[in-house]
Amino acid sequence: MAWNEPGKGGQDKDPWGNKGGRDQGPPDLDEAIRNVSRRLGGIFGGSGGSGASSGGFSAGIIGLVLVVAVIVWALSGFYTIREAERGVVLRFGAYHEEVQPGLHWRPVFIDDYIAVDVSTTQSMPSRGNMLTRDENVVRVEMEVQFRVVDPRAFLFSVPDPYDTLKQATDSALRYVVGHARMDDVLSEGREQVRQDTWKELEKIIENYGIGITIRDVNFQNARPPQQVRDAFDDAVAAREDEERIINKARAYAREKEPQARGHVERMLEEAEGYKQKVTLEAQGEVAQFEQMLPQYQAAPEVTRSRLYIEMMQSVLSNTSKVLVDVEGGNNIMYLPLEKMMQQRDNARSPSSGTPPMVIDSSVSDNAYPEVNGRTVRDQGFRQGRN
């Protein structure tokens, strides 16, 4: 009879073999387990009967546990290495291989792995009170930036690579500071101290072979002892002011020097032009004199009079003086009043450069020159201003 069919005599029978229905308690746990074991025994080849039922139950449970364990063991062996990392696989605790980024599988309890970051630049500070070459104590702070390049060496060369790097940095820094003066550490020689510390640190870690490379060494701060800190701060400020003033003077020199050179070049060019002008004028005067000399030798009086008249014409043509021949009694005096009034108006204006002229009439006739045997005399009038 099937387990879910109604029983004889109208009595119900539940799936666990109990009769009576509602008044019965919960089903027997042992009976339920036996039912499950019988079913599993049938699956794994068990036979019927009470003795065979117990053996089938045990074999079924063990088989199921083994299957589940194998599945869990296989699934737990998958792991992922990120892009910035490299995986170091250990087999029974010893180095086995190095794997690249991606999805990998390992047999659990046999292999293990360690992911090492090989792309990120890490930093490690170092600080302490140190003695300089001139027997002064300074407190120096420095930061080392490094990156892992060999994961296997980084993990297995030394017990603690970070502590090894810290000790190496402290040793290199103390060595360099101990061979430098205090002024070099505090002010002007900081860059040299940084470079020397970098070189010394690379030399030390090369002997350890810890699989890292130094990317940079930053000299963060260096301070003198508290007792003399104020004096050193003043000294540093004075050096900074000195550098600032020197840089300002150099900038001023770079600005003024081209201007001075240009001024010198201009003066040299003007001097050269003036030299050529004077030379050419002198040569022209010499040529003119050489042309005039034969004429003067042929007629000295005529040539002298002509030269005098030409000179007086060139001199008196720009003045407002009036020349009157007073020796001839029959001559009529003529004064160019219109031109004189125009010259007076020009003298009043600020743009006029002609100064007022006073002609003294008390000068004797002998003081005036002769032109063609006649005495030239200025009339005694004054060109005034209103």
Side-chain angles (χ1 to χ4, degrees):
M1 180 188 302
W3 66 271
N4 58 350
E5 294 180 357
K8 295 180 180 180
Q11 296 180 356
D12 295 334
K13 186 177 182 180
D14 60 14
W16 307 105
N18 296 324
K19 298 180 180 181
R22 298 179 180 178
D23 296 335
Q24 298 295 328
D28 191 358
L29 183 61
D30 294 336
E31 184 66 23
I33 293 176
R34 282 194 295 270
N35 292 334
V36 173
S37 64
R38 282 196 300 269
R39 293 180 180 277
L40 292 176
I43 295 174
F44 292 100
S47 59
S50 60
S53 176
S54 177
F57 170 74
S58 300
I61 292 296
I62 294 173
L64 179 62
V65 170
L66 289 177
V67 171
V68 173
V70 170
I71 294 175
V72 172
W73 176 81
L75 293 177
S76 63
F78 289 98
Y79 65 96
T80 303
I81 302 298
R82 294 182 298 179
E83 183 66 26
E85 298 175 342
R86 296 294 182 271
V88 178
V89 179
L90 307 178
R91 178 159 294 177
F92 297 110
Y95 174 80
H96 177 61
E97 64 178 350
E98 180 180 330
V99 295
Q100 300 297 319
L103 180 65
H104 302 276
W105 183 85
R106 62 185 174 89
V108 183
F109 308 120
I110 299 175
D111 289 355
D112 196 4
Y113 75 96
I114 302 175
V116 180
D117 192 343
V118 296
S119 299
T120 304
T121 299
Q122 306 178 47
S123 62
M124 176 175 292
S126 178
R127 61 179 62 89
N129 296 324
M130 303 178 186
L131 186 67
T132 62
R133 187 181 65 183
D134 48 1
E135 298 181 355
N136 289 311
V137 178
V138 293
R139 180 170 180 81
V140 181
E141 297 180 3
M142 182 169 287
E143 184 182 60
V144 178
Q145 296 181 355
F146 66 95
R147 185 170 62 87
V148 178
V149 294
D150 189 350
R152 179 180 181 181
F154 182 75
L155 293 175
F156 303 111
S157 294
V158 293
D160 189 350
Y162 293 102
D163 183 68
T164 301
L165 179 60
K166 182 176 181 58
Q167 297 296 333
T169 303
D170 187 70
S171 176
L173 184 58
R174 289 183 182 277
Y175 175 81
V176 174
V177 173
H179 288 77
R181 296 182 300 108
M182 187 173 186
D183 291 340
D184 296 335
V185 177
L186 295 179
S187 57
E188 55 191 19
R190 294 167 60 92
E191 179 62 24
Q192 186 63 37
V193 172
R194 187 184 76 88
Q195 295 290 342
D196 294 343
T197 304
W198 192 341
K199 295 179 182 178
E200 189 67 23
L201 178 59
E202 287 182 338
K203 188 186 302 182
I204 295 175
I205 64 175
E206 183 179 0
N207 297 328
Y208 286 101
I210 58 179
I212 65 174
T213 180
I214 303 300
R215 304 300 300 271
D216 196 6
V217 175
N218 298 324
F219 202 156
Q220 292 183 335
N221 195 11
R223 301 292 296 175
Q226 185 67 33
Q227 294 79 1
V228 294
R229 181 172 297 179
D230 295 337
F232 274 94
D233 290 341
D234 294 339
V236 172
R239 290 192 183 95
E240 293 177 352
D241 292 340
E242 179 184 6
E243 292 295 331
R244 179 177 57 81
I245 294 174
I246 290 175
N247 293 333
K248 184 177 179 180
R250 288 175 180 173
Y252 179 79
R254 286 193 295 266
E255 178 185 359
K256 293 299 181 181
E257 184 177 359
Q259 298 178 0
R261 292 184 182 276
H263 185 65
V264 170
E265 293 294 332
R266 182 174 60 83
M267 293 180 63
L268 291 176
E269 293 294 335
E270 291 178 353
E272 186 65 25
Y274 178 75
K275 173 184 175 182
Q276 295 179 1
K277 174 184 176 183
V278 173
T279 302
L280 294 177
E281 289 179 353
Q283 291 176 357
E285 292 177 358
V286 170
Q288 182 181 6
F289 180 79
E290 290 179 352
Q291 293 178 0
M292 192 177 299
L293 181 60
Q295 300 177 5
Y296 182 81
Q297 292 176 350
E301 294 296 334
V302 176
T303 304
R304 186 184 300 111
S305 299
R306 184 172 61 84
L307 292 175
Y308 177 77
I309 293 173
E310 291 178 355
M311 180 59 67
M312 293 300 295
Q313 182 179 1
S314 63
V315 172
L316 299 177
S317 61
N318 296 325
T319 64
S320 58
K321 294 181 179 180
V322 179
L323 302 179
V324 179
D325 186 4
V326 297
E327 292 185 356
N330 297 326
N331 294 332
I332 300 175
M333 183 182 298
Y334 171 74
L335 296 177
L337 297 178
E338 295 180 357
K339 293 184 178 181
M340 294 171 63
M341 294 295 294
Q342 183 178 1
Q343 292 178 359
R344 187 184 66 178
D345 294 339
N346 292 335
R348 292 177 180 176
S349 63
S351 61
S352 177
T354 305
M357 186 178 301
V358 178
I359 302 177
D360 191 0
S361 60
S362 63
V363 182
S364 61
D365 295 341
N366 295 330
Y368 295 97
E370 293 183 357
V371 180
N372 295 330
R374 297 181 180 181
T375 302
V376 178
R377 181 178 179 181
D378 297 338
Q379 295 297 323
F381 65 89
R382 181 185 302 271
Q383 181 179 351
R385 294 181 181 178
N386 293 334

